[in-house]
Amino acid sequence: MPFDSTTDSLVVAEIDRLAPELVASVQRAVRIASIEPKYPGQSYDELVGREGDVARLVAEIYAEAGAEVDVFAVEPGRENAAGRVRGAGGGRSLVYNGHIDVVPAGDPATWTSGDPFSGEEREGRIWGRGSTDMKAGVLAQAYAAVALRRAGVRLAGDLTMVAVVGEEVGDHEAGTTATIRRGYVGDVAVIAEPTAPPVPLAIVPVTPGLLWFSVTVRGKTAHAGLRGETRHATIYGAELGVNAIDKGFLVYQALNRLEEEWAETKRHRLFPNGKFGLLPGVIHGSPWGIDVPFFLSESVTIEYCVMFHPDDDCAQTKHAIERQVELASALDPWLREHPPSIAWKLEWEPYRLADDHAVLPALERAHERAVHGTTLAGPARRHGFAGVCDATWYDAAGIPCVIYGPGDIRLAHAADEHVAIAEILAACKTYALLAIDWCGLADA
Ligand SMILES: [Zn+2]
């Protein structure tokens, strides 16, 4: 598919010229270990300030694009960057969004290079925590605006870019929502989260919802030597002791059955079958906090991360989970008397864009032109997002939103995270071409 106009080809040529600079900026950004300071298990005081360093780096590039630049924080040290390229008027406005916090890197020994923040370029990729998720996307958006300026393009509508903190813990009040409240809004937002698989640079109009909860089951401790007598009601049974871990597994099994049921009943054409489920990611049970197996365990707690169907919401999913635990408990005499307690820790509503929203065909056109003649050539493909993201908060503010970005969610949060340079460039071209298509060109 040839480029529609001279303007498009000029902009694409600018991006090819800017490629070394774009790659170097992604490397610089990855080398700032901007680990989310509120991530569980991290030291806030040690980490706070690094997101701000990335924000200032991104803000320099917004300035190169001729944007009005604003670096601001809700929490000191946790600066967001915003840049607005004012349109000449009359066009639709567009917001480009990406987050600059990253998750912890895990054990450096599990990284091939031994350095999770190397930012090295190897095999046509940039390596490091935060490369795929999602500094490559943030910088591809920023350089799209630089290329527009260098090509002498004046848009009709406003192009606004934000690079935000707090996404990895849902702290949108400090990040995306703070930018919305400060007026960085538009007719549509595009979030640069990594959107492979199933293909690089998939177009993502929908995300699941997320819940985090813990369920705790109490037991009744006794000497380990009485295991047999407590297990079998024909001897002493629960009168003498109840091992909480055994009862916790009844809850585990019940939730496992719910997950199996979802694989059959909760289907969506933009997600693989069996996508939605309940992950028991943490389990801890012991006799009153002493980790030795010489007593019956007094309590067990299982922590779950739930990814649920986009057509459901947090309230109805919570209800279904509580109901499932209740039904399982009704079948067990001990649990009937000592019902498991559920603590809800995080709620994140799913996101859905209307199928007929005009940004979808515009993004498809831009993508297909951007990848034309490259190794990524092919028709645009729509797909659901693996997890949740800031789309939910744009939705809450009434701003339609779509997700599209370089990188692969399978590499995000993993050792040896990396992003292909070809994808960064293609994404950058798509962002520039979409801005032209969506915002329109100013009258000459
Ligand atoms: Zn992300």
Side-chain angles (χ1 to χ4, degrees):
M1 194 182 307
F3 290 104
D4 282 6
S5 69
T6 345
T7 310
D8 286 1
S9 10
L10 281 174
V11 170
V12 165
E14 278 305 336
I15 291 171
D16 286 329
R17 265 194 290 279
L18 281 164
E21 213 183 297
L22 167 53
V23 166
S25 294
V26 175
Q27 291 181 291
R28 278 171 64 207
V30 170
R31 285 173 188 144
I32 302 169
S34 53
I35 298 164
E36 167 58 50
K38 290 185 179 168
Y39 212 81
Q42 304 304 302
S43 155
Y44 183 92
D45 292 341
E46 201 176 298
L47 296 175
V48 71
R50 300 183 187 182
E51 290 161 310
D53 291 342
V54 182
R56 281 179 285 277
L57 184 158
V58 175
E60 279 173 32
I61 298 151
Y62 292 166
E64 264 183 64
E68 295 161 19
V69 176
D70 182 15
V71 176
F72 73 99
V74 171
E75 279 175 44
R78 308 195 63 204
E79 281 77 18
N80 299 292
R84 177 173 284 153
V85 182
R86 292 226 179 253
R92 291 177 293 193
S93 56
L94 178 60
V95 180
Y96 281 147
N97 168 294
H99 67 83
I100 50 177
D101 59 328
V102 305
V103 295
D107 181 359
T110 60
W111 290 70
T112 305
S113 70
D115 176 7
F117 297 98
S118 72
E120 67 177 320
E121 182 186 338
R122 181 162 47 83
E123 300 156 17
R125 296 156 190 188
I126 299 168
W127 299 73
R129 171 62 78 240
S131 54
T132 252
D133 187 13
M134 51 178 289
K135 289 168 176 171
V138 168
L139 289 158
Q141 291 180 332
Y143 276 92
V146 174
L148 289 170
R149 186 190 201 191
R150 295 218 183 152
V153 173
R154 178 94 202 270
L155 298 174
D158 289 352
L159 173 61
T160 300
M161 294 160 288
V162 293
V164 303
V165 304
E167 193 275 343
E168 292 291 0
V169 291
D171 189 10
H172 60 100
E173 300 276 343
T176 287
T177 295
T179 66
I180 293 170
R181 289 192 184 131
R182 211 167 159 94
Y184 296 111
V185 294
D187 292 321
V188 75
V190 179
I191 300 182
E193 290 277 0
T195 48
V199 292
L201 296 167
I203 290 172
V204 171
V206 58
T207 81
L210 178 147
L211 291 167
W212 172 22
F213 72 94
S214 69
V215 54
T216 298
V217 177
R218 301 259 154 221
K220 182 175 170 186
T221 196
H223 193 290
L226 297 168
R227 162 72 170 168
E229 287 88 332
T230 58
R231 182 137 172 75
H232 303 290
T234 49
I235 312 177
Y236 293 117
E239 203 184 304
L240 188 59
V242 173
N243 187 42
I245 288 176
D246 291 318
K247 299 300 177 190
F249 271 95
L250 296 179
V251 172
Y252 167 87
Q253 283 165 345
L255 293 175
N256 203 45
R257 284 194 299 275
L258 183 62
E259 186 176 48
E260 280 170 25
E261 193 186 306
W262 283 4
E264 299 295 330
T265 60
K266 303 286 184 184
R267 298 210 169 164
H268 190 289
R269 68 195 160 75
L270 292 182
F271 290 94
N273 289 340
K275 162 71 193 175
F276 308 107
L278 302 98
L279 164 72
V282 175
I283 181 163
H284 187 260
S286 69
W288 63 89
I290 305 177
D291 285 351
V292 293
F294 305 127
F295 309 83
L296 303 193
S297 65
E298 194 170 48
S299 83
V300 63
T301 299
I302 313 177
E303 306 242 356
Y304 279 90
C305 176
V306 183
M307 290 285 171
F308 62 87
H309 194 283
D311 292 345
D312 295 339
D313 63 21
C314 289
Q316 70 193 104
T317 307
K318 284 164 72 174
H319 180 75
I321 290 166
E322 283 166 354
R323 182 93 186 113
Q324 184 76 357
V325 172
E326 237 170 71
L327 288 174
S329 303
L331 296 174
D332 181 83
W334 175 262
L335 290 179
R336 215 159 44 224
E337 293 297 310
H338 305 86
S341 58
I342 294 182
W344 297 101
K345 299 184 160 187
L346 184 66
E347 297 183 19
W348 204 314
E349 296 288 359
Y351 174 72
R352 294 187 308 266
L353 178 67
D355 278 346
D356 60 352
H357 194 282
V359 75
L360 289 168
L363 185 51
E364 283 163 359
R365 282 192 296 273
H367 169 84
E368 287 173 10
R369 279 181 279 150
V371 298
H372 175 75
T374 75
T375 52
L376 298 166
R381 188 153 160 203
R382 295 186 196 180
H383 201 260
F385 196 52
V388 294
C389 75
D390 275 345
T392 297
W393 318 120
Y394 280 107
D395 194 34
I399 299 167
C401 176
V402 61
I403 308 157
Y404 173 92
D408 189 319
I409 198 76
R410 290 169 296 190
L411 302 168
H413 301 207
D416 283 338
E417 179 178 341
H418 60 266
V419 59
I421 291 167
E423 285 179 39
I424 306 176
L425 291 179
C428 184
K429 290 173 187 175
T430 302
Y431 297 137
L433 296 175
L434 177 66
I436 294 171
D437 188 329
W438 183 262
C439 302
L441 294 175
D443 295 333

